[in-house]
Amino acid sequence: MTASPLPSLAGLGRPSLIAALAFALIALGLFVAGGAAKRSDLTEMGRRAFLATFAFTALATIALLSALFARDFSVAYVADYTSRSLSGIYTFTALWGGMQGSLLWWAILLATFASLALTRAAAHKSSAPLVGWAGAVLSSIAAFFLFLLVVPANPFALAPQVALDGAGLNPLLQSPGMAIHPPLLYTGFVAFSVPFAFAIAALISGRLDDRWFTSTRRWTLFAWTALSVGIVLGGAWAYTELGWGGYWAWDPVENASFMPWLTATAFLHSVVIQEKRRMLKVWNVSLIVLTYVLAVFGTFLTRSGILSSVHTFTEGPIGKFFLPFLGVMLLGGLGMVAFRLDALRSENRLDSLLSRESAFIANNVLFVAATFTVLWGTIYPIVAEAFSGIRLSVGPPFFNSIFIPIGLALIGLTGIGPLISWRRMSKGTFWRIVRVPLACGAVTAVALGLLGVSSVGALLAFSLCAFTAAAIGGEFVRGSRLHRKQEKLDWLTALGRTLMRNRRRYGGYVVHLGVLLIVIGFAGSAFKVERRAIVEPGGSMKVGDYTLTYEGPQQTTTPEKEISVAPMTVVRDGQEVGTLRPQRNWHLAQQQAQSEVAIRTTPIEDLYVVVGSFESDGSADVRAFINPLTWWIWAGAVVMAAGMSVIISGATPVAATSPARARVRQPATAAR
């Protein structure tokens, strides 16, 4: 590929970042002054200064993109992460392919989201009083990341010598998934800054009613959705690019994205109790603080080099800046919670253990326990090295031994929760409602046992999924039956009316169904089959019911890489079902080898083949896996995203409800 005719605007990059930092600091001062003096004119000036921060950050981002596409190798970042042969889509992904570029991507997302959130909040009477302090928090976060870009991690630093060609992007990152997975993770991480900022604003201002989370509800749902889909796409990237036959290895950086997801999921459930029953106020604001701190902690892990991971960047100069920033956010946030403890006390108490509140609380305890389990397993190597001088590792057995029981318990609670009423429920009523889902779970366990499923964990997972699916299905049936009776509708129309009339509730049920599909996919790993063999041209290997016949190596060359293909004819039960073409490629710019996986996927199982190397006589080192039910993981992610789309479309911010009005409504909301 020849150099792009587009001009490089790299010369505008650093001045733009300096200007953005200056306006972020100006906005911070104006927001603090406006919040302290309760002056809307100063707050509005702060918002306009922050819009200037956004404009200059956007200009810096455009400048770096122009340098990447122009192959301006005078810029060190461009020389390190692009080459003349790199295709257009991967040239774009180079924007977040390195540490400095990913920080700029974080900064432009933050500037964009904060500008939108502050502008929208300022236009609403219920949330406008929070804009000053929320803007101060968002401006301080923006100033921190812009400081990193201006001082220790300048993406526009010049190369010591202008190279004729660049080093190119890491071959592992030259995957279509990398055009979607990192941006979605960053979107989730950064979007959580909005509810975090408004929570801190509520604590500082003393406005501790519901408006801080109702005004940012869409942002919370949006952030959670982006993070959820990003995590699943990260698993898909690991599955299709790393060639080890799996999708989740409890890698430190995988864990770093998972921890804020766990606490955010807990928050989305527990905040319902605050709305319905005026309880768990301390818990909810603490959860949103922890969620954002964990999101930034994940960024610290990937950029400090403190932990070894396939995802992390090499050790850089910015790790030492993150720790004080994390400390200020965590101690400052929790300190404010402690300061406002009296004002955050619950207005009601738990009436009965057999109630929906109890199910939500148990759900939250499990999510937080899972979070701290993952956190301890992730940081333990650092702690152990600090005290013993020996670098240890914590592998999947530790995480699985603790997380699998927690996960199964959460699936059970997901089915029980919709069946229980608010405040209290009689045991007789509960058993009458729960007996059909229990029967479905029991029948599933017995049927699978008779079919030869011997894994206790898989049986529990499948039966709990059946139980929960039946419970959720029952909710849709009852809602649709009501619409059929009242409006004389057919079943399909009544189902659609049920979903659209209460999008938050029934969209949540759709999300839960997506989670069940993912759990079914996870449970399939109990039946995984693996085989490895050196196969000569014309030779065969067996894996499960499949016979793979190797046709011999095929080689081609592109400007980017030398491609060696190992065509494998696939036969099952005497019938040919297709040909798989795993590859072993040599990337010329990086002088690095990489395997490209070949997968034959069905809802029943994946046949997964990877070639590790070729011998001089044409023989291939082949690893083949049968991964049952993996397809359901990706299908579950699609269903989850659909459910969240339904919820977000109906999540309109509402003004906070007064305690008096809440007490008047309690008898009505106690009904299921």
Side-chain angles (χ1 to χ4, degrees):
M1 180 182 291
T2 59
S4 169
L6 295 175
S8 172
L9 303 177
L12 296 175
R14 184 169 172 79
S16 297
L17 289 174
I18 293 172
L21 175 58
F23 275 105
L25 293 172
I26 292 170
L28 173 59
L30 289 168
F31 278 130
V32 170
K38 298 182 180 179
R39 287 182 52 181
S40 58
D41 58 333
L42 291 176
T43 299
E44 177 60 20
M45 291 172 63
R47 188 183 69 84
R48 292 181 180 181
F50 196 88
L51 291 177
T53 299
F54 161 74
F56 280 109
T57 307
L59 182 57
T61 305
I62 293 169
L64 185 56
L65 279 171
S66 73
L68 291 169
F69 278 96
R71 305 299 195 266
D72 184 356
F73 297 129
S74 67
V75 178
Y77 187 85
V78 177
D80 289 340
Y81 296 102
T82 65
S83 62
R84 296 189 184 279
S85 62
L86 194 65
S87 62
I89 182 62
Y90 298 132
T91 300
F92 184 79
T93 62
L95 175 62
W96 50 80
M99 180 184 67
Q100 297 92 333
S102 65
L103 289 173
L104 181 56
W105 179 246
W106 180 293
I108 186 57
L109 285 176
L110 176 62
T112 303
F113 295 162
S115 297
L116 291 172
L118 293 172
T119 299
R120 183 176 178 84
H124 286 79
K125 184 177 180 180
S126 63
S127 56
L130 298 175
V131 169
W133 290 115
V137 174
L138 291 167
S139 297
S140 63
I141 296 171
F144 170 75
F145 280 94
L146 289 166
F147 165 78
L148 294 178
L149 289 164
V150 168
V151 180
N154 176 19
F156 299 98
L158 297 179
Q161 182 177 351
V162 180
L164 294 176
D165 199 0
L169 193 64
N170 186 329
L172 288 175
L173 303 184
Q174 295 184 38
S175 162
M178 295 309 289
I180 308 172
H181 160 57
L184 280 175
L185 284 186
Y186 281 107
T187 297
F189 286 161
V190 177
F192 277 123
S193 61
V194 174
F196 169 78
F198 277 82
I200 297 298
L203 291 168
I204 295 173
S205 65
R207 297 176 180 273
L208 297 169
D209 49 30
D210 293 354
R211 74 187 79 185
W212 74 264
F213 65 80
T214 55
S215 62
T216 59
R217 178 177 292 149
R218 269 204 176 103
W219 285 104
T220 307
L221 294 170
F222 170 68
W224 186 89
T225 303
L227 190 57
S228 300
V229 178
I231 289 171
V232 175
L233 286 176
W237 170 78
Y239 188 61
T240 57
E241 293 297 325
L242 298 185
W244 59 288
Y247 40 78
W248 189 265
W250 295 106
D251 177 272
V253 178
E254 291 175 337
N255 297 346
S257 63
F258 193 38
M259 288 185 287
W261 183 89
L262 290 169
T263 53
T265 306
F267 171 77
L268 288 174
H269 287 84
S270 65
V271 78
V272 176
I273 302 180
Q274 183 171 341
E275 291 182 276
K276 294 285 188 180
R277 298 277 286 121
R278 325 298 295 175
M279 298 166 61
L280 300 185
K281 295 181 180 180
V282 173
W283 183 254
N284 286 328
V285 73
S286 299
L287 277 179
I288 207 65
V289 169
L290 285 175
T291 296
Y292 190 63
V293 169
L294 287 170
V296 177
F297 177 70
T299 308
F300 163 71
L301 285 182
T302 57
R303 280 146 195 81
S304 65
I306 195 170
L307 286 171
S308 176
S309 164
V310 70
H311 304 76
T312 56
F313 301 112
T314 55
E315 188 167 357
I318 67 169
K320 61 185 178 183
F321 295 100
F322 265 96
L323 283 178
F325 181 63
L326 282 167
V328 168
M329 285 199 305
L330 180 61
L331 297 178
L334 296 183
M336 286 302 304
V337 173
F339 178 70
R340 297 292 188 185
L341 203 57
D342 287 340
L344 288 169
R345 294 191 184 280
S346 296
E347 299 172 29
N348 293 293
R349 295 180 179 274
L350 188 66
D351 293 330
S352 170
L353 289 177
L354 191 57
S355 63
R356 191 171 296 187
E357 295 95 315
S358 295
F360 275 117
I361 290 170
N363 160 292
N364 266 236
V365 169
L366 290 173
F367 272 118
V368 173
T371 302
F372 283 99
T373 296
V374 177
L375 176 63
W376 175 244
T378 302
I379 67 172
Y380 179 75
I382 306 171
V383 176
E385 185 176 21
F387 284 96
S388 67
I390 301 173
R391 174 60 66 98
L392 302 175
S393 63
V394 178
F398 166 78
F399 293 104
N400 290 338
S401 65
I402 297 176
F403 201 85
I404 289 176
I406 291 176
L408 292 175
L410 284 169
I411 293 300
L413 283 172
T414 301
I416 292 173
L419 303 177
I420 311 177
S421 61
W422 291 103
R423 299 188 67 177
R424 62 170 54 88
M425 187 178 198
S426 69
K427 293 181 180 178
T429 302
F430 173 73
W431 286 115
R432 186 174 66 253
I433 293 175
V434 82
R435 60 190 178 188
V436 172
L438 277 177
C440 290
V443 168
T444 299
V446 171
L448 291 175
L450 293 174
L451 290 172
V453 176
S454 58
S455 169
V456 175
L459 280 174
L460 278 172
F462 291 136
S463 57
L464 282 171
C465 285
F467 164 80
T468 302
I472 293 172
E475 288 293 289
F476 278 104
V477 168
R478 283 185 282 273
S480 300
R481 183 183 294 138
L482 183 63
H483 284 294
R484 275 176 53 82
K485 182 178 179 181
Q486 293 178 344
E487 303 173 46
K488 309 300 181 184
L489 302 173
D490 61 87
W491 273 107
L492 187 60
T493 305
L495 179 62
R497 189 69 54 87
T498 299
L499 187 63
M500 292 297 107
R501 286 282 177 89
N502 194 338
R503 300 185 188 191
R504 189 176 176 193
R505 177 181 179 182
Y506 289 97
Y509 290 156
V510 174
V511 172
H512 289 165
L513 289 173
V515 172
L516 296 183
L517 297 182
I518 291 175
V519 172
I520 289 171
F522 289 163
S525 63
F527 314 104
K528 183 176 183 177
V529 177
E530 178 182 355
R531 175 82 193 280
R532 181 173 185 174
I534 304 295
V535 188
E536 299 177 350
S540 300
M541 65 179 292
K542 286 189 65 67
V543 54
D545 296 332
Y546 296 94
T547 300
L548 309 180
T549 301
Y550 173 41
E551 299 174 7
Q554 298 177 358
Q555 296 182 334
T556 57
T557 302
T558 71
E560 299 174 87
K561 56 193 173 184
E562 296 174 353
I563 303 172
S564 298
V565 184
M568 311 287 292
T569 302
V570 182
V571 174
R572 182 177 186 181
D573 298 329
Q575 293 187 344
E576 183 175 330
V577 294
T579 300
L580 295 180
R581 304 177 66 83
Q583 301 176 11
R584 183 69 173 174
N585 302 329
W586 180 257
H587 290 259
L588 301 173
Q590 298 81 17
Q591 293 293 290
Q592 182 178 336
Q594 180 215 1
S595 294
E596 290 286 349
V597 176
I599 304 173
R600 179 183 182 270
T601 185
T602 70
I604 304 298
E605 63 189 13
D606 284 4
L607 174 61
Y608 180 107
V609 182
V610 58
V611 57
S613 63
F614 288 93
E615 304 295 334
S616 57
D617 64 353
S619 299
D621 179 8
V622 179
R623 294 178 69 194
F625 303 82
I626 296 176
N627 295 325
L629 305 179
T630 304
W631 180 88
W632 294 93
I633 298 174
W634 326 128
V638 173
V639 173
M640 283 180 63
M644 288 306 298
S645 298
V646 171
I647 296 173
I648 292 173
S649 68
T652 52
V654 294
T657 304
S658 68
R661 290 183 64 191
R663 283 192 292 270
V664 169
R665 284 206 311 266
Q666 276 179 18
T669 58
R672 291 181 54 257

